[in-house]
Amino acid sequence: DDTVIRIPPHFYIHVLDLKTNVTKTIIGPETFVRQDNEKVVEGPTKMIIIPPNHYCVVANPVVSKEGEVQFDKYGQARLLHADQEVRLCQDPFPLYPGESLDVKVTKLRAVPTNTALRLRAIADFMEDGDNGQQRFAHDEWLFTGPGTYIPHKFVEVVETIRASIIKPNEALRLRALKACKDQEGHERVCGEEWLVCKTGAYLPGAYEQVVGTISAYILTENIALHLEALQSFKDRFGIDRKSGEQWLVTIKESEAFIPDVNESVVEVVNITTLTNRQYCIVVDPLGEDGKNQLGQRKLVKGEKSFFLQPGEKLESGIQDVHILLEDEALILKAVLAFKDKGVDRQPGNMWMIRGPCEFIPTVEMEIIDRRKAIPLDENEGVYVRNIKTGKVRAVSGQTYVLDQDEELWDKQLPEQIEKLLSIEVDPLADRNSRSHGSSKSRVKHKVVTYRVPHNAAAQVYDYKAKRARVEFGPDLVMLAPDEHFTQLSLSGGKPKRPNCIRSLCLLLGPDFMTDIITVETSDHARLALQLSYNWHFEIPDPKTDTFKSDSAKLFSVPDFVGDACKALASRIRGAVAAVPFDDFHRNSARIIRSSVFGLDANMKVRDSFKFAANNLLITNVDIQSVEPVDQRTRDSLQKSVQLAIEITTNSQEATARHEAERTEQEAKGRLERQKINDEAEAEKARTELLKLQALSAAVESTGQAKAEAQSRAESQRIEGEAAVEQAQLNADAQNIEANAELKRINDARTSEITYIGSTNQLEIAKAKEMADIETNKFKDMVNALGAENIARIATSGHDNQLAMLRALGLQSTLITDGSTPLNLFNTAKGLVGALKAPESE
């Protein structure tokens, strides 16, 4: 609305001419006077200032020629509509009418090292510069750093790509997104993959995609790589590989191996190491043509180390050499025809080798079984069956090794016999026990043994020979393959019930069996008798000819207990039925014994009763209890018993009462007599007391003066004795002190004399040793210097003076300090006479 508008430097305004409808730009610094037909549409607005390394994008830019803005005939700035212009660092400029800032002033993007911008053309254009390339829409390329990227109106930045660092023993797997040429100049088709193994930073191209980084497999002496070709190609070692082909790469080919894109790692193969005590069999080994020999087997012995080739595998893994001891053997079977140490072996042949030896089977044979010698005592054995003939035999009392045509045979026994053999029960000691002991399972191929206890017998039946034998204990019975034990099923319980006791041996007695039977008297009184029978079997003499037949009789009755109890009960019932209850009640023992044992010609009861069928002998019958079965009889019997008990009780009570009264009278008489005696003694004691009282009164009157005199005399006597004793003790004490002092003085003088003597001895020894040391020292010095050297030392002074005089040519000289007088009277003697050795001053 202001007429005058002051425009500062670097500012501008847009003024619309209302007459011509043309908008013009006024750039400061300037003072603009607005006319009536003019209108300020925009401003004052600051010019666009682009600092260094910055840019902006202007939409609908003006048309300029050699830096001058072009205007149309109306004075309006000409615009490039629907176009853009990228402007870099330059002088501040205004936006003309129609222009707009599409991208504000922005800092140019700096691309660092190992980084690139992926660019895409959005329209066809020719790059600036002499070497500019023709770009077509949707072309992509890279702007690699280091550098500053200057935007272009027909180029967009797709993404920023950073270089991948390839470390040692690594490779970069790339995939072509479209047909292109890689950085090494190789043509790549769309979807093709390849590896870049060069260490360092790698910046993938615009049409290259990084699939991943592949680490190398480090191969050692103990590790190899199993590879498979995904398609036909030539590997890095120059070998043509077919699709699906498999091979092994070891450290001999490469220490670090990176699989190619056409190679697949099947597995990492560890080395197979055999010691000198091992071997293995390789299945489908690799032949000389490099192909697997399907169905073949190869023996490899140690000591050796190797890698399993593709397609090879170990049969049963690494195996140890078979070391056979003296008691061991191997059963072998030929799977292929071959010659074994001059012996032709056909497929299916079996043979055995014995130890001691070391054995490694070849591929033409297989090990069927390893057998160990079975040590057998005389009382143990095994059942052996020949697999060719089917014959079974028992072997015992030796160390036996099954050969190739033999096997251990399991002997099957009835379930009840198996149970009796497995239960650890003593048939003799536990014959009355119905609880089963601990059981253990039987090894069925071992010979069945049974220990027949003392005074018992067991029967064994041979089904093949159809004969039986009886074994008497104590003995150990061993069954042949076709033999079985005869099982005894005896009656038990009270009353007897069948099949209660099962056993393999027959106890021969003597023993007893108890049974409860019901009898009825002639007057129809029914009674329950509990009877115990003593029995034993008559054992035949082994020396007789009828020993076998008599022995077989023992087992002729399967249940001798039930049979004997039934027979005896029948005899007892018949005898009791002929007598009334009162007679049976009075004579039950005689009636039962006579019915069991019978009467002889003299009408006496026999001693025993024998069953001829099995030689069972009944020797005694014990009647343990007799109880009426009928309730009425039981009540009457109970009443009679109670009446008898009451009569007996009353008689005993009367006798006891009479005895108590008699005892009471005797006690009363003794008590009266004692009272009279006590009164007489009391009178005697009273008389003595009176006498003593009279005596004490007399003594009391005369005793006080006498007691005082006696006490004074006794006191003086005690004082005199004490004084005498004190004097004696003082004398003893003085004597002891004198003796002690004398002993102390003697001991002190003795110790002093001993000390002085020891000191003198030590001084003498020290002086002697010092003298010896000095003597030895002087002697050692003299020996060290030598006699001649000592003589020279002694005369060295005079010899030096003499030498000096001779050197000066003087025969004699006298040196004095001038203050000491000299006697020269005898000087001539020395000068005239012979030369003497000079004397030291």
Side-chain angles (χ1 to χ4, degrees):
D1 296 338
D2 295 337
T3 304
V4 178
I5 301 173
R6 292 178 175 82
I7 305 172
H10 302 304
F11 279 80
Y12 68 94
I13 62 172
H14 288 171
V15 179
L16 175 63
D17 190 345
L18 298 178
K19 291 181 179 181
T20 62
N21 203 23
V22 173
T23 304
K24 60 181 179 180
T25 303
I26 307 300
I27 301 174
E30 183 178 345
T31 301
F32 177 71
V33 179
R34 181 177 63 82
Q35 302 297 325
D36 291 339
N37 60 341
E38 293 177 340
K39 180 180 179 181
V40 177
V41 181
E42 182 183 353
T45 303
K46 189 176 181 179
M47 291 183 181
I48 304 301
I49 300 174
I50 303 177
N53 292 329
H54 287 70
Y55 76 99
C56 70
V57 178
V58 178
N60 302 322
V62 297
V63 178
S64 61
K65 187 176 182 182
E66 295 180 359
E68 296 294 332
V69 178
Q70 301 296 314
F71 298 92
D72 57 10
K73 60 182 179 178
Y74 304 107
Q76 180 78 36
R78 297 177 62 184
L79 300 177
L80 295 174
H81 293 284
D83 199 359
Q84 290 180 337
E85 182 182 354
V86 178
R87 297 179 183 179
L88 302 175
C89 181
Q90 55 181 302
D91 294 336
F93 62 91
L95 290 178
Y96 287 89
E99 289 184 333
S100 63
L101 203 60
D102 199 2
V103 177
K104 296 181 180 180
V105 177
T106 306
K107 188 175 183 180
L108 291 174
R109 183 179 297 182
V111 182
T113 306
N114 296 331
T115 308
L117 298 178
R118 185 177 178 185
L119 307 178
R120 179 186 294 151
I122 59 178
D124 298 344
F125 72 98
M126 177 67 73
E127 291 182 344
D128 299 333
D130 297 336
N131 297 326
Q133 298 181 6
Q134 177 66 39
R135 299 294 184 182
F136 299 96
H138 293 289
D139 278 354
E140 293 184 358
W141 68 97
L142 296 181
F143 177 81
T144 58
T148 302
Y149 172 69
I150 299 175
H152 194 277
K153 62 181 180 179
F154 295 130
V155 178
E156 66 175 352
V157 178
V158 179
E159 62 177 341
T160 301
I161 300 176
R162 289 178 175 82
S164 299
I165 305 302
I166 303 176
K167 300 178 182 179
N169 296 329
E170 286 186 349
L172 204 63
R173 186 168 183 170
L174 303 177
R175 180 187 293 122
L177 299 177
K178 61 181 295 186
C180 63
K181 184 179 291 185
D182 63 10
Q183 295 183 6
E184 295 181 357
H186 299 98
E187 295 290 340
R188 302 295 181 183
V189 298
C190 181
E192 182 181 356
E193 294 184 358
W194 68 98
L195 296 180
V196 176
C197 301
K198 186 177 180 181
T199 305
Y202 181 81
L203 197 62
Y207 299 113
E208 297 175 354
Q209 179 185 4
V210 178
V211 179
T213 302
I214 301 176
S215 300
Y217 289 89
I218 306 301
L219 303 181
T220 63
E221 296 288 344
N222 299 326
I223 296 177
L225 212 58
H226 182 185
L227 303 178
E228 182 180 4
L230 301 178
Q231 61 181 4
S232 299
F233 74 106
K234 180 178 288 187
D235 63 8
R236 67 185 62 183
F237 306 114
I239 302 174
D240 292 329
R241 302 294 183 183
K242 302 297 182 183
S243 178
E245 182 181 353
Q246 296 182 358
W247 67 99
L248 213 62
V249 177
T250 62
I251 193 175
K252 296 180 181 179
E253 286 81 15
S254 176
E255 294 182 357
F257 183 79
I258 301 176
D260 194 73
V261 294
N262 298 317
E263 298 172 340
S264 172
V265 177
V266 178
E267 62 177 342
V268 176
V269 180
N270 294 320
I271 195 170
T272 302
T273 302
L274 302 177
T275 64
N276 58 355
R277 314 300 299 170
Q278 292 177 332
Y279 74 96
C280 66
I281 295 178
V282 180
V283 181
D284 301 335
L286 208 64
E288 296 179 356
D289 56 353
K291 297 182 180 180
N292 294 99
Q293 299 177 355
L294 301 179
Q296 299 295 323
R297 299 162 73 234
K298 176 184 176 183
L299 175 64
V300 180
K301 300 180 181 180
E303 181 174 349
K304 189 175 183 180
S305 296
F306 63 95
F307 289 103
L308 285 177
Q309 297 297 325
E312 294 181 343
K313 59 183 179 181
L314 294 181
E315 184 180 70
S316 303
I318 298 176
Q319 305 180 50
D320 294 331
V321 175
H322 297 276
I323 300 176
L324 302 180
L325 303 178
E326 293 182 358
D327 58 345
E328 291 182 331
L330 287 177
I331 305 300
L332 306 177
K333 180 180 180 181
V335 295
L336 296 174
F338 72 103
K339 182 171 290 187
D340 179 22
K341 297 180 181 179
V343 179
D344 291 332
R345 304 289 186 187
Q346 298 299 323
N349 286 354
M350 296 177 63
W351 69 100
M352 182 172 65
I353 62 170
R354 296 176 178 269
C357 67
E358 294 181 359
F359 181 74
I360 298 177
T362 62
V363 296
E364 294 86 2
M365 65 181 70
E366 64 178 354
I367 297 176
I368 301 300
D369 190 15
R370 184 187 184 107
R371 293 181 176 174
K372 187 176 180 64
I374 306 173
L376 301 173
D377 193 16
E378 294 180 356
N379 297 331
E380 57 183 359
V382 293
Y383 297 110
V384 178
R385 177 177 176 268
N386 191 303
I387 59 178
K388 289 185 176 180
T389 62
K391 184 179 179 181
V392 181
R393 60 191 179 94
V395 179
S396 62
Q398 59 177 316
T399 300
Y400 189 75
V401 181
L402 299 175
D403 61 17
Q404 67 274 9
D405 296 327
E406 293 178 339
E407 65 178 0
L408 293 175
W409 180 72
D410 293 341
K411 182 176 178 61
Q412 302 295 332
L413 295 175
E415 182 180 358
Q416 191 62 36
I417 294 181
E418 287 277 9
K419 186 176 180 180
L420 293 174
L421 289 174
S422 61
I423 296 175
E424 296 181 353
V425 175
D426 187 355
L428 184 61
D430 301 330
R431 63 187 184 278
N432 295 325
S433 175
R434 297 295 179 265
S435 61
H436 300 297
S438 59
S439 60
K440 58 181 180 180
S441 59
R442 180 178 67 89
V443 182
K444 294 188 177 181
H445 65 262
K446 288 189 176 181
V447 171
V448 179
T449 59
Y450 181 73
R451 299 183 184 275
V452 181
H454 176 70
N455 201 22
Q459 187 182 45
V460 178
Y461 187 79
D462 189 345
Y463 285 90
K464 187 175 182 180
K466 296 183 179 181
R467 64 173 179 268
R469 59 187 175 96
V470 177
E471 299 289 342
F472 292 92
D475 195 5
L476 180 68
V477 180
M478 302 177 66
L479 293 187
D482 298 315
E483 290 181 340
H484 286 274
F485 287 108
T486 298
Q487 178 186 351
L488 298 177
S489 181
L490 306 177
S491 298
K494 294 183 288 187
K496 289 291 183 281
R497 301 187 308 274
N499 302 325
C500 287
I501 302 174
R502 297 181 184 274
S503 177
L504 296 180
C505 66
L506 177 66
L507 299 180
L508 302 178
D511 205 342
F512 66 92
M513 52 187 174
T514 304
D515 190 15
I516 297 176
I517 63 175
T518 302
V519 298
E520 186 174 357
T521 61
S522 61
D523 51 0
H524 306 290
R526 301 182 71 234
L527 304 173
L529 306 180
Q530 181 171 335
L531 306 175
S532 178
Y533 309 107
N534 288 12
W535 59 269
H536 68 272
F537 285 97
E538 285 188 350
I539 303 174
D541 188 1
K543 297 180 180 180
T544 60
D545 297 335
T546 61
F547 174 73
K548 290 185 178 181
S549 60
D550 293 341
S551 299
K553 280 186 178 182
L554 297 175
F555 294 89
S556 61
V557 179
D559 184 6
F560 77 93
V561 175
D563 183 72
C565 288
K566 288 179 182 179
L568 296 177
S570 177
R571 296 168 69 92
I572 293 172
R573 288 192 191 98
V576 173
V579 296
F581 173 74
D582 292 337
D583 293 343
F584 177 76
H585 187 64
R586 289 192 296 270
N587 304 311
S588 58
R590 184 179 59 80
I591 294 172
I592 292 175
R593 288 181 59 85
S594 61
S595 63
V596 171
F597 299 118
L599 301 176
D600 57 7
N602 299 325
M603 301 304 291
K604 291 184 178 180
V605 179
R606 292 190 177 92
D607 296 333
S608 62
F609 175 74
K610 179 179 180 182
F611 290 90
N614 58 351
N615 292 334
L616 176 63
L617 201 63
I618 306 298
T619 58
N620 189 22
V621 179
D622 180 19
I623 305 171
Q624 295 180 346
S625 66
V626 178
E627 293 183 1
V629 177
D630 186 21
Q631 184 64 33
R632 187 175 57 187
T633 306
R634 183 180 301 174
D635 292 341
S636 62
L637 180 62
Q638 186 174 4
K639 287 180 180 180
S640 63
V641 172
Q642 288 179 354
L643 182 61
I645 293 173
E646 186 177 356
I647 294 171
T648 304
T649 304
N650 293 332
S651 175
Q652 291 178 353
E653 287 180 356
T655 303
R657 187 168 53 253
H658 178 70
E659 184 66 23
E661 291 177 354
R662 185 181 62 80
T663 304
E664 183 180 1
Q665 293 297 326
E666 291 179 355
K668 286 181 178 180
R670 287 197 299 272
L671 180 60
E672 292 296 334
R673 189 182 301 112
Q674 186 66 33
K675 284 182 179 181
I676 295 171
N677 293 333
D678 292 342
E679 290 177 357
E681 291 294 332
E683 290 297 329
K684 290 181 181 180
R686 190 177 296 110
T687 303
E688 291 294 331
L689 176 61
L690 293 176
K691 290 180 179 180
L692 291 174
Q693 288 177 350
L695 181 62
S696 64
V699 171
E700 183 178 0
S701 60
T702 59
Q704 184 174 1
K706 184 178 180 180
E708 291 178 356
Q710 288 179 351
S711 63
R712 283 194 299 270
E714 184 69 21
S715 174
Q716 292 176 359
R717 185 183 63 79
I718 291 171
E719 289 179 357
E721 291 178 355
V724 172
E725 186 176 359
Q726 183 178 2
Q728 184 65 33
L729 292 174
N730 289 333
D732 294 340
Q734 291 176 0
N735 189 17
I736 291 171
E737 290 178 356
N739 293 334
E741 183 67 18
L742 179 62
K743 184 177 179 182
R744 184 186 66 78
I745 294 172
N746 292 335
D747 293 342
R749 290 179 179 177
T750 304
S751 300
E752 184 178 1
I753 293 171
T754 304
Y755 172 75
I756 293 172
S758 301
T759 304
N760 294 336
Q761 291 294 331
L762 291 174
E763 291 293 338
I764 293 170
K766 179 179 178 183
K768 185 177 180 181
E769 290 180 358
M770 292 299 295
D772 294 339
I773 291 172
E774 292 296 331
T775 304
N776 293 332
K777 178 180 177 182
F778 183 76
K779 185 185 296 183
D780 293 339
M781 291 174 62
V782 171
N783 293 333
L785 294 175
E788 294 180 357
N789 292 333
I790 294 174
R792 290 176 183 176
I793 292 171
T795 61
S796 61
H798 299 287
D799 292 341
N800 288 337
Q801 293 177 4
L802 181 60
M804 290 175 62
L805 292 176
R806 287 178 179 175
L808 295 175
L810 300 177
Q811 295 295 324
S812 178
T813 181
L814 179 63
I815 300 173
T816 181
D817 55 0
S819 61
T820 303
L822 297 175
N823 187 5
L824 299 178
F825 290 102
N826 295 326
T827 303
K829 293 181 180 180
L831 295 175
V832 178
L835 183 63
K836 295 182 179 179
E839 296 179 359
S840 59
E841 295 180 359

